[in-house]
Amino acid sequence: VPWCLMMSLTLSRGCLLDLPWEDILVPHILCHLPLQQLLSLQRVSKSFQSLIQLYLANMRCFDSSQIGPAIPRAAFVNLLKDNEVLQQLALQNCSDWLTDRELLPVIGQNHHLHHIQLKGCAQLSRHALVAISLSCPNLRRISLAHCEWVDSLSLRSLADHCKALEAVDLTACRQLKDEAICYLVQKCSRLKSLSLAVNANVGDAAVEEIAKCCPELEHLDLTGCLRVKNDSIRVLAEYCPKLRSLKVKHCHNVAESSLSILRSRGVELDVEPPLQRALVLLQDVVGFAPFINLQI
């Protein structure tokens, strides 16, 4: 519903508010408007304020980016204080204001969450992840990228209570070592997507356990995992027939001898074959790609 149409409806003798709120307005009209515009609509009248509060209490998806780069702490608390039906919560890059104090009440009253995005929320603590694991048994996707407060104990809690996980992003969670990752994948064998990028503590033991425990795995990001070597990549190729993409850029101990197995299966890799890489470098230097007889 275009914003101009909504505004025209608000001025048409209150006819919009005459429609059934819970059956028509909330599920079929308001859900098509950006959250920021809905919040502005509260200022039209007390009736509209009540309508928007009803919408917020029944909202299934909350994405902080719809409001703007700097949502006030008090506004966040007020927006979700009555909501107990959230299914998706996206609070990426709210590090300036989001702490356990604001997040834990929202998690504690929403037991239907299946997608949670906390990328870059640096002021939270391990208690946030424990609360998520205890309150959200149906959780399927969670991003904890650049949340360095994630430790092995909180990750164990997540693994113990959220067995339906399909996608986990642990990019730059630098406290985590092989043992914690092994425990996660042993408990969460349905994983299809996992990122362990930018973690120098992750090595072959974790990758081999991922391969053996997660036969449904489709995407694995090992960017910058300096301890990963060829042997674990070969195990990955053997045990993960559904693998579609693998990122191993800056994994200096991973060579084409192991990647070629995956490459031949059509797995998308973020590093080029040695010959292709050499041709690209040569072209950058001399300005053209030389003719090479590959049959020699």
Side-chain angles (χ1 to χ4, degrees):
V1 180
W3 178 242
C4 58
L5 175 58
M6 174 62 79
M7 290 306 297
S8 67
L9 288 170
T10 65
L11 301 174
S12 301
R13 301 183 303 279
C15 62
L16 178 66
L17 294 175
D18 292 338
L19 295 171
W21 287 18
E22 294 191 41
D23 296 332
I24 300 297
L25 291 183
V26 169
H28 298 296
I29 295 180
L30 297 187
C31 64
H32 295 287
L33 290 175
L35 186 57
Q36 192 167 23
Q37 292 182 348
L38 287 173
L39 299 180
S40 299
L41 194 59
Q42 289 186 102
R43 297 195 290 268
V44 173
S45 69
K46 289 184 178 180
S47 295
F48 270 101
Q49 183 178 23
S50 298
L51 173 61
I52 300 307
Q53 288 175 347
L54 176 65
Y55 171 82
L56 294 172
N58 289 276
M59 187 166 47
R60 298 295 197 272
C61 177
F62 179 84
D63 186 345
S64 61
S65 66
Q66 292 186 7
I67 299 176
I71 171 176
R73 176 187 283 108
F76 170 77
V77 173
N78 186 60
L79 286 174
L80 296 179
K81 62 183 174 62
D82 298 321
N83 192 304
E84 299 180 359
V85 295
L86 275 180
Q87 296 178 1
Q88 300 182 43
L89 178 63
L91 299 171
Q92 61 269 31
N93 298 317
C94 294
S95 59
D96 290 342
W97 58 270
L98 185 67
T99 67
D100 291 358
R101 183 177 180 180
E102 292 78 40
L103 182 63
L104 264 56
V106 175
I107 297 298
Q109 67 192 32
N110 282 281
H111 305 294
H112 304 288
L113 281 164
H114 53 73
H115 288 197
I116 296 178
Q117 165 69 269
L118 296 175
K119 179 180 178 182
C121 294
Q123 294 191 52
L124 298 175
S125 78
R126 59 184 299 272
H127 300 296
L129 189 54
V130 172
I132 289 170
S133 66
L134 296 177
S135 295
C136 309
N138 300 314
L139 192 65
R140 297 202 303 272
R141 305 179 67 89
I142 185 167
S143 174
L144 299 164
H146 302 281
C147 294
E148 297 197 23
W149 45 265
V150 176
D151 60 10
S152 59
L153 288 177
S154 57
L155 192 68
R156 285 173 75 95
S157 180
L158 184 73
D160 284 336
H161 297 95
C162 300
K163 305 283 181 63
L165 278 169
E166 296 179 357
V168 179
D169 188 347
L170 299 171
T171 298
C173 293
R174 295 185 178 91
Q175 289 195 59
L176 301 177
K177 299 181 180 179
D178 283 352
E179 183 182 3
I181 303 304
C182 290
Y183 192 88
L184 172 69
V185 298
Q186 287 165 5
K187 297 287 186 176
C188 302
S189 58
R190 301 183 194 177
L191 279 176
K192 295 181 179 180
S193 177
L194 178 62
S195 175
L196 303 173
V198 200
N199 190 338
N201 293 318
V202 171
D204 284 344
V207 176
E208 290 183 15
E209 199 67 17
I210 292 167
K212 294 174 181 177
C213 294
C214 302
E216 302 297 315
L217 191 69
E218 297 179 2
H219 307 282
L220 180 61
D221 190 347
L222 299 173
T223 303
C225 294
L226 303 178
R227 295 176 57 233
V228 173
K229 301 181 179 66
N230 282 322
D231 288 346
S232 62
I233 301 299
R234 292 191 183 96
V235 175
L236 194 68
E238 179 180 355
Y239 283 89
C240 295
K242 297 184 179 181
L243 193 67
R244 293 167 51 193
S245 71
L246 174 66
K247 294 184 178 181
V248 289
K249 189 172 287 186
H250 307 304
C251 295
H252 304 304
N253 295 312
V254 174
E256 184 64 22
S257 58
S258 61
L259 294 176
S260 60
I261 306 169
L262 294 167
R263 204 184 297 278
S264 66
R265 281 178 15 202
V267 175
E268 180 183 343
L269 303 172
D270 64 341
V271 292
E272 297 173 331
L275 177 60
Q276 181 66 31
R277 189 159 56 244
L279 289 175
V280 170
L281 290 173
L282 185 59
Q283 185 173 7
D284 288 342
V285 172
V286 302
F288 67 94
F291 173 77
I292 296 179
N293 186 352
L294 297 178
Q295 295 180 339
I296 295 178

